[in-house]
Amino acid sequence: KGDENGTALADFVIFPPRVMATDQNTFRPPWFHRNVMTEFMGLIYGKYDAKKGKKGSGGFVPGGASLHSIMTPHGPDAASYDANVKNPCDEPTKFEGGLAFMFESSAMCKLSQYALNCGQRERDYASCWDGLDRVFPTQAE
């Protein structure tokens, strides 16, 4: 039980091979969002459909993980977004490319000094959204 009624202390989810959305004009990878929980996600094997990676990078690779603290915006990278908005989604698709997990907690997570200084840390993670076109007008427009 979390600190407030109706909130969980922790959730655990597995993303196994599965049939993706079957409705026309749907967006199959996770959409851009923020969470009221801290989200830790890892890839066990294969590929993750929302992080194909920019040219020259491996994307979200097996053994890799991401941590998005409470209210940190995140979503598919530019390559995944571009590929999926062009997909007509006119028939069911089975995703069999990998196995991922997600752990969410209403508690804040703190990175260790080792994690902060690790040589495998992706220091330009936010650049995965470089190249995304604005699709919603601002108030000034």
Side-chain angles (χ1 to χ4, degrees), residues 38-72:
T38 296
E39 179 181 293
F40 177 78
M41 185 163 184
L43 185 62
I44 298 170
Y45 70 81
K47 296 182 179 182
Y48 183 61
D49 57 326
K51 294 284 187 211
K52 295 182 187 306
K54 60 185 187 264
K55 193 171 187 176
S57 83
F60 200 42
V61 297
S66 63
L67 179 68
H68 296 109
S69 294
I70 295 170
M71 299 308 289
T72 302

Side-chain angles (χ1 to χ4, degrees), residues 4-110:
E4 296 182 34
N5 286 337
T7 63
L9 177 60
D11 293 325
F12 185 74
V13 180
I14 291 287
F15 299 100
R18 63 205 177 274
V19 174
M20 304 298 275
T22 58
D23 296 329
Q24 290 184 335
N25 299 316
T26 58
F27 189 68
R28 293 181 176 173
W31 52 87
F32 294 95
H33 63 285
R34 296 176 191 216
N35 299 340
V36 295
M37 298 176 84
T38 296
E39 179 181 293
F40 177 78
M41 185 163 184
L43 185 62
I44 298 170
Y45 70 81
K47 296 182 179 182
Y48 183 61
D49 57 326
K51 294 284 187 211
K52 295 182 187 306
K54 60 185 187 264
K55 193 171 187 176
S57 83
F60 200 42
V61 297
S66 63
L67 179 68
H68 296 109
S69 294
I70 295 170
M71 299 308 289
T72 302
H74 57 286
D77 63 20
S80 302
Y81 176 84
D82 290 341
N84 280 280
V85 295
K86 293 173 185 166
N87 183 344
C89 295
D90 52 2
E91 59 185 63
T93 301
K94 185 163 185 187
F95 178 75
E96 298 184 88
L99 180 64
F101 69 90
M102 183 171 60
F103 170 81
E104 294 181 314
S105 177
S106 56
M108 291 292 287
C109 296
K110 183 178 178 182

Side-chain angles (χ1 to χ4, degrees), residues 127-139:
S127 70
C128 75
W129 297 294
D130 290 351
L132 281 173
D133 293 328
R134 184 186 319 177
V135 295
F136 298 105
T138 63
Q139 288 182 345

